[in-house]
Amino acid sequence: MPAPSAVADPAVTHAPVSRLVPATLTINGAEAPLPTDPRVSLLDLLREHLHLTGTKKGCDQGACGACTVLADGERRILSCLALAVQYQGRSVTSVEGLAAGDMLHPLQQAFIEHDGFQCGYCTPGQLCSALGMAAELKRGVPSYVTPDLAADVVEFSHDEVRERMSGNLCRCGAYNGIVDAVAEHHAKEPR
């Protein structure tokens, strides 16, 4: 029997890299390529690769919420802790995807009217988190302060807002304005 050869068998062919289907995800309604490096965080993909700088890098440890974005329109994601490749084929919405052209999202307008921001650094994460929180309420997902965990409907309350938004820090202390803006937006939303 002949000794195994260290030379590659010319009969075996491999598809060239250029024939591979590129991996993508949808960002704010537009298809975007995933980075070739699987270690890139979703936050770095948004900011460094796609130049969508609305999502902020606060602590880079998932403790402040400044990097919050929405996955599939309803789930809150701390993009600094998520790898971009985890969202292949999925939809991600950052703060840039909330407005419709020059028309602000109603929650953005409510933040302005209720002084729900001061320096504005945390605002993109606060907005995305509040929209994710509203989706949780619609789905009946309970929180720590929900009185009846078996209920199909979770009632909106200031306590629910404060609990659900507690992962989003505002160093300026605009919490009252944030809660008021979220409450106004919730009151105007169809059930």
Side-chain angles (χ1 to χ4, degrees):
M1 185 165 181
S5 171
V7 178
D9 183 352
V12 176
T13 59
H14 299 281
V17 173
S18 63
R19 288 190 187 170
L20 295 177
V21 177
T24 62
L25 72 162
T26 302
I27 305 282
N28 301 329
E31 194 170 274
L34 284 168
T36 55
D37 184 348
R39 300 169 296 174
V40 173
S41 71
L42 183 56
L43 176 61
D44 287 340
L45 172 68
L46 293 169
R47 292 183 58 79
E48 307 300 329
H49 296 251
L50 301 176
H51 307 290
L52 296 171
T53 57
T55 304
K56 303 302 184 210
K57 185 178 278 196
C59 66
D60 213 19
Q61 299 176 10
C64 72
C67 68
T68 305
V69 296
L70 296 171
D72 302 323
E74 59 184 28
R75 188 164 187 322
R76 299 181 277 178
I77 301 297
L78 296 172
S79 62
C80 72
L81 296 180
L83 295 174
V85 297
Q86 291 176 277
Y87 295 90
Q88 179 179 344
R90 294 180 66 190
S91 175
V92 173
T93 304
S94 70
V95 70
E96 290 92 345
L98 299 182
D102 291 339
M103 173 99 71
L104 292 177
H105 186 282
L107 182 60
Q108 290 173 308
Q109 188 61 45
F111 264 61
I112 292 169
E113 291 168 5
H114 291 279
D115 294 325
F117 61 92
Q118 286 181 31
C119 78
Y121 196 83
C122 71
T123 305
Q126 297 278 1
L127 289 164
C128 288
S129 189
L131 292 170
M133 179 209 70
E136 288 173 2
L137 286 171
K138 283 183 182 177
R139 291 192 318 269
V141 177
S143 76
Y144 179 75
V145 299
T146 303
D148 183 1
L149 298 179
D152 292 333
V153 176
V154 177
E155 294 298 322
F156 179 89
S157 71
H158 280 72
D159 287 342
E160 284 286 350
V161 174
R162 285 184 173 87
E163 170 61 26
R164 291 170 189 266
M165 297 290 290
S166 65
N168 291 80
L169 304 180
C170 174
R171 288 172 179 85
C172 300
Y175 294 113
N176 290 333
I178 292 167
V179 172
D180 290 346
V182 171
E184 177 184 295
H185 178 260
H186 181 78
K188 292 179 179 178
E189 280 290 293
R191 307 279 178 259

